[in-house]
Amino acid sequence: MQHGPAVRRRKLGAELRELRASAGLTSGEAARLAGWHQSKVSRIETGASGVKPADVRLLLDVYGVADAQLRELLLMLAGPDESGGRHHWWHAYRGVLPPTYRDFISLESQASAMSTLETSVVPGLLQTPEYARAVTRAAVGGLDDERLDALVEVRLARQDVLRSDPPLRLTAVLDEAVLRREVGGPDVMARQLRRLLDSAHLPQVRLQVLPFGAGAHVGVTGPFVIFSFSSTSDLDVVVLDHLTSSLYLERKEDLRAYSEAFNDLQFHALSPEDSLDYIAAIGDGA
């Protein structure tokens, strides 16, 4: 199983190694021009350690890379700038978040769009606090109240990406089971369905329901998420969740297969307008 940022570090390292070779420099010469020890260049090129965007800029200058699009791509691979010693907000929860979850949040915070098939629960970005608490308690056994509170706080903090500037564009296909499964009791579920209706009216959110009547579909193998990035499709990634880990797929053929599958799911799902009526009817007890 690959962690998302680890995959990106290796991809970035390989690109930087090729640029160094094209510039006719050894790793030792590149390190000297950058004012570093040779081991730092080696660690970056092998993906053994993370690299700050400022370090990537310096290497690109050393290698004489002037192509603006290429520079933007490589800086995207390095992730958001953390100059001034600031950390991502989720670092405060390192003690309770497993690495795969931190990786997922990192991708979510950087992506411009997210397409998700959900077959069991409401997408985390659209959950109410009560629903998030019930889902977390069921999914992670043996939680004390303090850790449960922290995980729910993280789930709610993640939702800020829908209110950022620009906001994350969320497209979600929900199997009808998501709407029918009573999580947290009838009152919690009723409020959650109303939240879905409210969220669907946001311009950055598109919801479609895949009703039971659609029969078997390509999504029966399980839920998945596709993260897309505005600068280039080379950074797009599919995330498959498992009980104890996550799998990140970045090969073009995998991305193509999952993108085609998601398009097929959208085709067989109800339209966004009909989906709202369907959710409302379930909320009314239909």
Side-chain angles (χ1 to χ4, degrees):
M1 298 297 178
Q2 305 285 10
H3 289 186
V7 172
R8 276 162 164 64
R9 284 200 304 269
R10 286 194 292 273
K11 183 179 290 188
L12 174 60
E15 293 287 343
L16 291 173
R17 184 168 58 251
E18 289 185 11
L19 289 172
R20 174 179 58 75
S22 297
L25 297 172
T26 66
S27 59
E29 290 169 339
R32 179 177 54 79
L33 291 171
W36 301 340
H37 192 279
Q38 182 178 355
S39 62
K40 179 171 181 176
V41 173
S42 297
R43 289 196 305 272
I44 290 174
E45 291 185 351
T46 59
S49 63
V51 55
K52 298 177 182 178
D55 289 341
V56 173
R57 291 191 189 94
L58 178 56
L59 286 178
L60 294 178
D61 291 341
V62 168
Y63 302 155
V65 178
D67 186 319
Q69 185 174 4
L70 178 58
R71 291 178 70 97
E72 182 181 5
L73 168 61
L74 297 180
L75 287 169
M76 176 68 77
L77 284 172
D81 203 334
E82 295 183 0
S83 58
R86 295 190 302 274
H87 296 289
H88 297 303
W89 63 264
W90 57 88
H91 284 196
Y93 298 91
R94 291 179 66 90
V96 296
L97 298 181
T100 52
Y101 194 14
R102 296 200 301 269
D103 291 347
F104 186 91
I105 296 173
S106 175
L107 290 172
E108 188 177 69
S109 70
Q110 297 173 49
S112 58
M114 174 180 175
S115 301
T116 180
L117 166 68
E118 294 291 349
T119 59
S120 298
V121 297
V122 170
L125 296 182
L126 303 178
Q127 292 178 5
T128 65
E130 300 89 349
Y131 186 98
R133 176 173 292 273
V135 165
T136 304
R137 188 184 293 278
V140 186
L143 286 177
D144 57 41
D145 288 342
E146 183 177 359
R147 189 159 184 239
L148 177 61
D149 289 343
L151 290 173
V152 173
E153 286 176 13
V154 170
R155 182 68 54 90
L156 300 180
R158 284 175 46 206
Q159 298 176 3
D160 284 346
V161 295
L162 294 176
R163 298 182 288 271
S164 60
D165 186 19
L168 176 77
R169 300 190 308 278
L170 173 64
T171 302
V173 174
L174 309 181
D175 189 277
E176 185 173 342
V178 172
L179 309 175
R180 297 287 185 183
R181 177 170 289 104
E182 192 174 276
V183 174
D187 292 340
V188 169
M189 200 63 203
R191 286 191 290 272
Q192 179 59 72
L193 292 177
R194 287 197 294 271
R195 167 68 69 83
L196 285 176
L197 293 173
D198 292 340
S199 299
H201 287 97
L202 296 172
Q204 65 270 35
V205 175
R206 177 187 174 96
L207 291 183
Q208 289 182 258
V209 174
L210 196 62
F212 289 147
H217 52 77
V218 69
V220 295
T221 56
F224 60 86
V225 173
I226 304 173
F227 285 118
S228 302
F229 297 82
S230 57
S231 60
T232 173
S233 61
D234 287 346
L235 300 182
D236 293 357
V237 59
V238 176
V239 184
L240 307 178
D241 273 334
H242 301 277
L243 183 61
T244 59
S245 58
S246 296
L247 178 64
Y248 292 79
L249 306 176
E250 298 188 294
R251 296 188 310 166
K252 291 186 182 298
E253 52 266 41
D254 292 326
L255 288 163
R256 186 182 308 111
Y258 277 91
S259 295
E260 291 174 355
F262 192 78
N263 290 338
D264 184 66
L265 290 166
Q266 286 188 289
F267 177 78
H268 287 94
L270 300 175
S271 69
E273 296 75 19
D274 290 343
S275 294
L276 288 181
D277 293 338
Y278 208 82
I279 295 171
I282 292 176
D284 291 336

